Amino acid sequence: MISAGEFRNGVTFELDGNVVSIVEFQHVKPGKGAAFVRAKIKNVITGAVTERTFNPNDKYPPAFVERKDMQYLYNDEGLYYFMDEETYEQIPINKSILGDNFKFVKENMICKVLSYKGSVFGVEPPNFVELQIVETDPGFKGDTATNATKPAKLETGAEVKVPLFIDNGEMIRIDTRTGEYMERA
């Protein structure tokens, strides 16, 4: 059991039937009255963030969120199939569980599949991916001095803004957390 007095950022526990994680916390000792813990908690399944106060003596059961590396294989009619590289077991994951940043993932990439008590609630793609540009306006020499950008379509179908000097067929590195162009690969 985890007491509220032992809260730290990132601690995951069960609260009212939900799995929550501490985002921020503060131990408060007012001049009058009992001490309490003010915390900003995030529901790890829905992503909702709320603020709540806790009695420092309250105890909560810890929650173990499993993060497993799995290989993305293919998609078929709204289901995305991932393979466990140790057991070769394939699991289908509904498109609604995948985040917006999944648009940067191509087949055979390794992703982290998040589950709680065997129920999958999220997929984290790699932080950085290298993808090829399939469609963009032509680039010109000397277009490196300004911070001007143009749209470019990637091999996964996603669109990003790239500098003017980038051409079709080039490989670029993308930060999947922000969806931004980082550099040429």
Side-chain angles (χ1 to χ4, degrees), residues 64-142:
F64 178 68
V65 174
E66 185 179 7
R67 303 164 67 93
K68 188 168 192 114
D69 283 341
M70 297 185 97
Q71 182 180 14
Y72 168 58
L73 297 176
Y74 64 95
N75 67 334
D76 184 33
E77 296 180 15
L79 291 177
Y80 288 72
Y81 290 85
F82 291 81
M83 180 182 69
D84 185 332
E85 293 189 302
E86 296 169 7
T87 64
Y88 300 106
E89 174 188 2
Q90 292 183 19
I91 61 164
I93 297 177
N94 197 315
K95 183 179 183 177
S96 63
I97 292 175
L98 305 174
D100 289 339
N101 55 359
F102 194 76
K103 64 186 174 193
F104 299 114
V105 175
K106 62 182 183 179
E107 293 176 354
N108 300 322
M109 279 190 176
I110 303 297
C111 298
K112 290 211 181 296
V113 175
L114 310 173
S115 63
Y116 176 69
K117 290 186 177 176
S119 174
V120 174
F121 65 86
V123 175
E124 288 179 354
N127 289 340
F128 301 100
V129 294
E130 292 180 3
L131 297 171
Q132 184 175 22
I133 293 181
V134 293
E135 184 181 324
T136 189
D137 294 335
F140 300 102
K141 286 196 187 311

Side-chain angles (χ1 to χ4, degrees), residues 2 4-12 21-25 27:
I2 300 169
E6 300 169 340
F7 281 175
R8 299 290 174 261
N9 290 347
V11 170
T12 306
S21 178
I22 300 291
V23 178
E24 287 179 16
F25 71 98
H27 294 280

Side-chain angles (χ1 to χ4, degrees), residues 44-63:
V44 296
I45 295 173
T46 64
V49 177
T50 57
E51 245 182 68
R52 184 167 166 173
T53 57
F54 297 89
N55 180 333
N57 299 324
D58 290 348
K59 295 194 181 298
Y60 302 95

